[in-house]
Amino acid sequence: MGWLKNVIIKNKELENERFEVTDKDSLYFLGPNLTLRNCTVVLKVSARRLHILGARFIDCTFEVKQELKNHQDWVRASLKGCRFKGRLTGCDFGHWPEYGSEPEYQHGFIENCDFTEARLDGCRIMGCDPTTLRFPKWPCFTILDPIRRVSELRSVRWPGLVGDVLVDDLHAHPAPTRALTYYAPTLVERLESTPEQLQAVIEKFDCIVY
């Protein structure tokens, strides 16, 4: 493999621009001291090629063109009024300063963002109010305040291994976890259930959005 090219965008305030974060041979660094407003950001690289260093995104649209997996750098971003499109798996958003020692982790924030055109699976909202967010509809579903609700969620019989694995493990998530979103078809495939069986239980709870 050849050398990777560093693409560094920092110390700027930009508005109404389109960013293509798509070069497989580049490492992208967004920040520090970067504010994007009303911009479209096209993402088509793996998580290890994208580094967010305290950037602020206001009313931006993220078009995720290839599945973005296990990208925790969103907790180093401030996201206000943004829209997400595409597939995101194992990603964390919001305020989670304990995740890392670098100062940009203090700036993590999410508010008034729209995920209705995204497919989230195993994604978490950390340390911020999830009621300001719009989550994707079924077959995605979102558990609000999962740690505090764990005893309530354990009070019913879940299909397959959902109760044994998903519900019983909720307490293991970090304390700042405010919401947790899954994609039902992927979840039931490994937990020996069906989307229909899962939905029949989910609809019993006010704390689950679907």
Side-chain angles (χ1 to χ4, degrees):
M1 186 179 73
W3 292 99
L4 293 172
K5 179 177 66 176
N6 288 340
V7 179
I8 302 169
I9 307 172
K10 65 179 182 178
N11 302 325
K12 292 181 179 179
E13 290 201 17
L14 301 166
E15 193 166 355
N16 298 318
E17 294 199 27
R18 181 178 176 90
F19 289 90
E20 302 269 349
V21 183
T22 57
D23 182 6
K24 300 287 191 290
D25 295 320
S26 293
L27 278 175
Y28 291 89
F29 297 87
L30 305 182
N33 301 317
L34 174 67
T35 299
L36 300 185
R37 194 185 302 269
N38 289 311
C39 291
T40 296
V41 183
V42 181
L43 301 178
K44 197 177 179 182
V45 294
S46 65
R48 65 180 181 273
R49 297 276 186 267
L50 175 61
H51 301 277
I52 301 174
L53 305 175
R56 297 174 67 222
F57 301 93
I58 302 166
D59 299 327
C60 292
T61 297
F62 292 92
E63 297 181 0
V64 183
K65 297 296 188 181
Q66 79 174 41
E67 185 175 5
L68 189 62
K69 296 182 178 180
N70 302 320
H71 189 58
Q72 268 64 55
D73 263 16
W74 293 115
V75 297
R76 300 200 285 189
S78 174
L79 300 156
K80 293 185 179 181
C82 295
R83 178 184 294 113
F84 287 81
K85 303 177 181 182
R87 294 183 297 161
L88 300 115
T89 299
C91 295
D92 293 331
F93 303 84
H95 188 62
W96 190 9
E98 300 84 4
Y99 187 82
S101 57
E102 293 86 350
E104 58 263 22
Y105 284 105
Q106 302 295 325
H107 302 300
F109 183 77
I110 187 167
E111 183 180 70
N112 294 328
C113 290
D114 186 344
F115 291 97
T116 55
E117 294 181 73
R119 193 189 88 180
L120 304 183
D121 191 17
C123 293
R124 299 183 294 199
I125 303 300
M126 312 298 291
C128 292
D129 182 3
T131 63
T132 73
L133 310 177
R134 296 181 65 199
F135 290 101
K137 300 296 186 184
W138 185 260
C140 290
F141 65 97
T142 302
I143 305 172
L144 303 176
D145 207 4
I147 298 172
R148 198 167 63 84
R149 300 279 195 157
V150 67
S151 59
E152 179 185 342
L153 293 164
R154 283 175 174 161
S155 68
V156 302
R157 183 177 179 85
W158 292 82
L161 300 174
V162 176
D164 295 337
V165 177
L166 186 151
V167 178
D168 283 352
D169 281 354
L170 288 177
H171 70 279
H173 288 281
T177 305
R178 299 289 179 264
L180 183 57
T181 302
Y182 287 103
Y183 180 62
T186 303
L187 184 75
V188 298
E189 192 175 316
R190 61 186 177 88
L191 296 184
E192 300 177 11
S193 181
T194 67
E196 294 77 19
Q197 291 173 330
L198 182 59
Q199 186 175 8
V201 178
I202 282 172
E203 59 193 18
K204 298 178 181 180
F205 292 97
D206 293 337
C207 62
I208 300 181
V209 181
Y210 65 97

